[in-house]
Amino acid sequence: MNVLVVGAGAMGRWFGESIHCDLAFADADPAVAENAANELGGRAVELDTSETFDAVCLAVPLPVVEGAIEEHAVKAERALLDLTGVMAEPVSAMAERVPDKERVSLHPLFGPENAPGNVAVVVDEPGPVTDDLLSALESRGNTLVETTPDEHDEAMKTVQASAHTAILAFALSANSVPDGLRTPVYDCLTDLSAQVTSGDSRVYADIQAAFDGAEDVAAAANELADATVEEFEHLYRDAKSNGDTNAYRNETDPEGKR
């Protein structure tokens, strides 16, 4: 099977490395495509190539995924996949552009450096090509979590937009503390801040633009800041109840499957 990966950044390389196929890489920066091809043993092609492939996987930034589907869908002979992190728009756009082809939307819920892990999957139109590609991802130790576009995108408001906002807000507001005066909670938040800020700022900005969630975190922080002692205790109990509910869900369904 030959596969074209459009977008030869970190996630495009992760996908290419995870499957055992004849690979071609295309990127807006030809040097990035060349580097990916040299690293993974594939070849680089021009972004506007007229070649066709058994499967095309789009690993492009969130804001340009619909345009990429329109531009590159014609290159897919049998299957079209996206690997962008949002699902409703790509799934709809792929169905419109290639209604007669296999179609899958993927979202690895981790950075490539933390692979393997959970991969959210919407199989909009299954078939042998996408079955083989998904099996290859599983064989690398990834857990495929079937979902729907709406369920996924709603979850990302909390999992990504709200979580990133809370962590970055802490990083922006925290003062340096001597080692002897640090607490375990402070250390955990500091570690999370370092993890988030070690990534690509544009990726995080795109996530914030794609999903609501920041406003809810800001509203909760303001409510806590303005609360009386009695109001704070009530909010604390609400937070504990919400945390206990999420902990129970994780214990009973650790892989997020139904």
Side-chain angles (χ1 to χ4, degrees):
M1 182 194 312
N2 61 350
V3 177
L4 171 65
V5 180
V6 179
M11 292 315 302
R13 294 184 188 206
W14 167 82
F15 181 78
E17 187 177 21
S18 299
I19 60 176
H20 302 287
C21 301
D22 294 330
L23 290 172
F25 289 95
D27 196 277
D29 184 344
V32 173
E34 288 283 356
N35 289 338
N38 292 335
E39 178 183 334
L40 300 177
R43 62 190 178 95
V45 298
E46 297 293 332
L47 198 60
D48 61 354
T49 181
S50 60
E51 286 188 67
T52 59
F53 302 82
D54 294 318
V56 173
C57 179
L58 304 170
V60 298
L62 284 169
V64 302
V65 61
E66 290 189 71
I69 290 170
E70 182 175 354
E71 180 179 356
H72 301 290
V74 67
K75 300 167 188 174
E77 296 178 3
R78 302 173 64 189
L80 182 63
L81 306 89
D82 89 281
L83 188 72
T84 55
V86 67
M87 287 189 163
E89 290 85 356
V91 168
S92 176
M94 287 190 292
E96 181 179 350
R97 296 296 298 181
V98 287
D100 57 338
K101 302 290 196 310
E102 299 173 39
R103 302 182 304 277
V104 169
S105 185
L106 301 168
H107 182 195
L109 301 172
F110 51 83
E113 67 279 3
N114 295 317
N118 283 4
V119 181
V121 180
V122 171
V123 181
D124 196 40
E125 185 63 42
V129 172
T130 51
D131 285 350
D132 285 349
L133 294 173
L134 294 177
S135 293
L137 296 181
E138 281 191 304
S139 72
R140 295 295 293 257
N142 298 291
T143 299
L144 305 185
V145 183
E146 293 189 15
T147 184
T148 66
D150 289 342
E151 181 184 56
H152 169 272
D153 289 357
E154 181 65 28
M156 291 308 107
K157 294 178 182 179
T158 296
V159 171
Q160 291 193 314
S162 291
H164 298 164
T165 297
I167 293 166
L168 290 170
F170 169 78
L172 289 168
S173 62
N175 295 318
S176 178
V177 176
D179 288 343
L181 300 180
R182 298 161 75 103
T183 66
V185 171
Y186 175 90
D187 283 339
C188 286
L189 286 170
T190 300
D191 289 344
L192 288 171
S193 299
Q195 179 180 339
V196 169
T197 56
S198 67
D200 184 338
S201 61
R202 179 58 184 270
V203 171
Y204 285 91
D206 288 345
I207 290 170
Q208 291 297 327
F211 302 111
D212 297 327
E215 296 82 359
D216 291 342
V217 174
N222 285 330
E223 194 172 4
L224 286 166
D226 296 337
T228 65
V229 171
E230 292 77 14
E231 291 169 341
F232 187 95
E233 290 179 342
H234 179 75
L235 291 168
Y236 184 94
R237 289 193 295 270
D238 286 348
K240 182 180 187 307
S241 176
N242 191 40
D244 288 346
T245 299
N246 288 331
Y248 173 76
R249 288 173 178 166
N250 290 338
E251 289 174 2
T252 57
D253 194 14
E255 293 182 348
K257 293 182 177 179
R258 287 167 173 74

